[in-house]
Amino acid sequence: MRTLEESKVRSDNKSNKKSVILFAAGIMLFSITTCLAFAGFRLRLNHVFDSLVEENLMAYTESQNREMQAVIEDITGTLEAIAAIFETSDASVDSGWLMEYLEAISENKERYDVEYQSMEDLRVSMKEVGENESYRETYNRLMNRENVISDVRFSRRRGGRYYFSVAVPVIQHGEVVGVLRSVLDGELLVQSVITNSLHDHAVSCLVKENGDLIPVGEQFNPEDGEPAPRNLIEETRGIGRNDELSLAIARMAGHNGETEKLGLINGHMMFICVTDLGYNGWHIVNLLNADNVSEYSGRILQDMVAISLLLILLIAVLGVILFTVLMRQERRLRLQESGYAILAKFSDTVLCSYNYRTDTLSFTPNAVELLPLKELTIHPANQGTQADRLIHPDDRPAVKRIFEYPDIETEEPMEQEVRLLGLDGEYIWCGLRYQVVRDDKGMPVQLLAKLMDVSERKIKEQELLEKSTVDATTGLLNKYAAETGIETRIAAGVHGFLFMIDIDNFKLVNDRLGHMTGDRLLAQVGTVIRRVFRQTDLAGRAGGDEFVVFMADTDSVPAAAEKAGRLLEHLRDISIGGEALKITASIGIAAIPAHGGNYQEVYRLADQAMYQAKQNGKNRFFIIGSDDSVDNLPFHRV
């Protein structure tokens, strides 16, 4: 008895040990998966934050650039306007009113003053400063009538600050007599009125392409004498391990409009952005310490981990419940499919189903009698090309919408007409009646549908449509169809000419030969119009013996005249029963859009032109607004 109990205990222990091992293995696998998932999330989160920092840093840097360019353009425009006054005036630039005028302008400008200096005074100033290549270059450019943006210079006379100037030459009587100049604080070059969270963490400086720092602020002020040259690349060398900062600055100093993440430098997350100011080879360099952004992304990740751990148990429970419900619904759908397959054996209607989860389209066996199917199941259906080959290109978007975004939940079946490839390789019209089956959450699971060949009905509808738009006597468009078609083309911006054609003395034909002969004549006129004009030109019967033609896609008056002349020639050749009738016509022509922006305007002018042709002897055409650049215009007679 004891042996049986011990054996049972050992068996239970062994079973418990196996369960514990499986549970521990499951927990470990789940933990590893969760860690990998959060590691991936951390990488994606860092990438998102890096992108945001780069975009904001770029926006901040570009705002500095735009503001500075706007200031310089404003100053340059003001100086050029003042200089233009003197260039066109005989007033002396040395007169007292000039100083008063400049003082008035300066009072209205918050950031800068405007001052005038004669070229003689400028030469004296240059001698006082001494030999300086930069000053000589500025002087020569002004003498060459060029606007000049000076280099940044240090001046103790201006309060020990850095400045730069915008100068425009003043020209009178063909000679440069002086210069209008505005002096600006150098710190304007790296300032921005737009502030954001980056403003307090970014360091802005102005450099040349080789990395030389351009002094603009108080941090560059020397104690004695001129400031010593400094280079940003050299000054940052050794700050970070392997000189990451100096190498990045050297790499980007010659670029424009670029942002780069430098990574950790001395424990700080650094970004750099460089943009070209467009003047004197100046580049704005912004260095950003993004530690606060990195800390913020870390806090977000911690919060996400805590929330995720709390939700895992709930998700697991809901997953078991959902799996059970889905399995039940899947069995119900399989039963429905079996029922539809049985029904298909007793019907000529093709039944099909689409599974939204597996992207699979299935047909009943009788589908091979309607469609060129190699298999009754197509997978993938929505993302593949096999289903696309069955659907007419114009109908594919509508079918894809049904597959990707099914209609709102409804108890009533939906209907759609599509063209599908038939057994003979031609597209046939099919009526699609469908309904979407949804799960307990309202998500689409399956689409059940039936297909019916409705080609005969569509053909009859097309024939009725053609009969409703075609003039029975001439075979051309009837009045409504012609007006609608021409109006549509005019609204779409198509250029061309509108022809109004009236058969001369048509009433005499009816009175002498009868209305039946008149109808035969109108039919031959329709044939001549189709032969003379292109298939792409719209031609219709406006009523009685009047016709209208829209000759599209041309602005050539000679081409319109040549077409009208050919029409008059061919009309003369019309004969009925072997008897030549010597038919003539009066034609009025108006251009589109030159003579009107809609059909009614152009029709009215072309009709007036037609009556002018008729009043001038008939058997001719008249073009509205034409001149003598084309022979026999505006009137032409064959």
Side-chain angles (χ1 to χ4, degrees), residues 263-405:
L264 287 174
I265 298 180
N266 285 355
H268 299 289
M269 185 63 66
M270 301 295 295
F271 289 79
I272 183 173
C273 182
V274 179
T275 183
D276 186 359
L277 266 178
Y279 303 104
N280 300 337
W282 295 338
H283 290 73
I284 294 178
V285 176
N286 275 323
L287 294 171
L288 173 65
N289 180 350
D291 288 345
N292 59 329
V293 176
S294 180
E295 294 174 0
Y296 183 59
S297 64
R299 289 196 301 270
I300 290 179
L301 181 62
Q302 293 174 2
D303 294 341
M304 287 295 299
V305 171
I307 295 173
S308 299
L309 291 177
L310 292 176
L311 292 176
I312 284 174
L313 290 176
L314 179 60
I315 293 173
V317 173
L318 293 177
V320 172
I321 296 173
L322 180 61
F323 178 76
T324 303
V325 172
L326 291 178
M327 289 299 296
R328 291 177 180 175
Q329 187 163 357
E330 194 73 24
R331 286 194 295 270
R332 185 169 66 250
L333 291 175
R334 283 198 295 268
L335 290 174
Q336 290 178 349
E337 289 179 2
S338 300
Y340 277 106
I342 294 173
L343 288 175
K345 297 179 181 180
F346 303 98
S347 174
D348 295 332
T349 300
V350 175
L351 303 180
C352 61
S353 64
Y354 174 70
N355 191 309
Y356 285 96
R357 292 172 179 165
T358 61
D359 190 22
T360 302
L361 181 63
S362 302
F363 294 90
T364 51
N366 61 342
V368 296
E369 300 175 6
L370 181 67
L371 307 173
L373 295 173
K374 296 181 180 179
E375 297 181 356
L376 295 177
T377 300
I378 298 177
H379 176 77
N382 190 32
Q383 303 299 328
T385 58
Q386 186 177 356
D388 284 346
R389 286 195 293 267
L390 290 175
I391 306 170
H392 191 280
D394 293 342
D395 296 331
R396 288 171 190 167
V399 176
K400 283 187 175 293
R401 281 195 296 272
I402 297 174
F403 285 168
E404 295 176 356
Y405 309 105

Side-chain angles (χ1 to χ4, degrees), residues 251-553:
R251 182 171 60 254
M252 297 186 64
H255 295 186
N256 180 37
E258 293 190 7
T259 304
E260 181 177 327
K261 178 182 179 181
L262 303 179
L264 287 174
I265 298 180
N266 285 355
H268 299 289
M269 185 63 66
M270 301 295 295
F271 289 79
I272 183 173
C273 182
V274 179
T275 183
D276 186 359
L277 266 178
Y279 303 104
N280 300 337
W282 295 338
H283 290 73
I284 294 178
V285 176
N286 275 323
L287 294 171
L288 173 65
N289 180 350
D291 288 345
N292 59 329
V293 176
S294 180
E295 294 174 0
Y296 183 59
S297 64
R299 289 196 301 270
I300 290 179
L301 181 62
Q302 293 174 2
D303 294 341
M304 287 295 299
V305 171
I307 295 173
S308 299
L309 291 177
L310 292 176
L311 292 176
I312 284 174
L313 290 176
L314 179 60
I315 293 173
V317 173
L318 293 177
V320 172
I321 296 173
L322 180 61
F323 178 76
T324 303
V325 172
L326 291 178
M327 289 299 296
R328 291 177 180 175
Q329 187 163 357
E330 194 73 24
R331 286 194 295 270
R332 185 169 66 250
L333 291 175
R334 283 198 295 268
L335 290 174
Q336 290 178 349
E337 289 179 2
S338 300
Y340 277 106
I342 294 173
L343 288 175
K345 297 179 181 180
F346 303 98
S347 174
D348 295 332
T349 300
V350 175
L351 303 180
C352 61
S353 64
Y354 174 70
N355 191 309
Y356 285 96
R357 292 172 179 165
T358 61
D359 190 22
T360 302
L361 181 63
S362 302
F363 294 90
T364 51
N366 61 342
V368 296
E369 300 175 6
L370 181 67
L371 307 173
L373 295 173
K374 296 181 180 179
E375 297 181 356
L376 295 177
T377 300
I378 298 177
H379 176 77
N382 190 32
Q383 303 299 328
T385 58
Q386 186 177 356
D388 284 346
R389 286 195 293 267
L390 290 175
I391 306 170
H392 191 280
D394 293 342
D395 296 331
R396 288 171 190 167
V399 176
K400 283 187 175 293
R401 281 195 296 272
I402 297 174
F403 285 168
E404 295 176 356
Y405 309 105
D407 299 301
I408 60 173
E409 188 171 357
T410 176
E411 297 296 331
E412 298 297 327
M414 307 295 291
E415 294 185 358
Q416 179 83 31
E417 288 187 350
V418 296
R419 283 161 289 183
L420 302 178
L421 191 65
L423 295 175
D424 59 355
E426 299 292 333
Y427 286 101
I428 59 176
W429 279 99
C430 292
L432 176 65
R433 187 175 175 86
Y434 65 93
Q435 186 166 0
V436 177
V437 179
R438 301 174 182 270
D439 59 19
D440 295 339
K441 295 184 178 181
M443 299 300 296
V445 178
Q446 194 168 32
L447 180 142
L448 300 175
K450 68 175 183 178
L451 287 172
M452 297 178 61
D453 186 353
V454 295
S455 298
E456 293 185 5
R457 175 172 62 80
K458 294 294 290 187
I459 292 173
K460 292 180 180 179
E461 291 177 355
Q462 185 64 30
E463 291 176 351
L464 291 175
L465 179 62
E466 291 179 356
K467 289 180 180 179
S468 67
T469 58
V470 174
D471 178 66
T473 302
T474 62
L476 303 176
L477 295 175
N478 60 29
K479 181 179 180 181
Y480 175 78
E483 290 181 359
T484 303
I486 296 173
E487 183 65 45
T488 300
R489 291 197 179 187
I490 293 175
V494 178
H495 290 209
F497 293 90
L498 185 69
F499 288 66
M500 282 298 301
I501 306 163
D502 182 83
I503 306 302
D504 296 330
N505 305 317
F506 180 73
K507 185 176 183 302
L508 297 178
V509 175
N510 278 339
D511 294 343
R512 190 180 65 185
L513 302 177
H515 288 281
M516 185 176 294
T517 301
D519 288 345
R520 293 173 61 189
L521 170 61
L522 292 176
Q524 290 206 39
V525 171
T527 301
V528 169
I529 290 176
R530 284 195 299 271
R531 185 167 65 246
V532 170
F533 288 92
R534 302 166 296 180
Q535 291 183 349
T536 55
D537 297 332
L538 287 179
R541 183 182 178 189
D545 59 341
E546 289 189 354
F547 298 85
V548 60
V549 179
F550 179 49
M551 179 180 172
D553 300 322

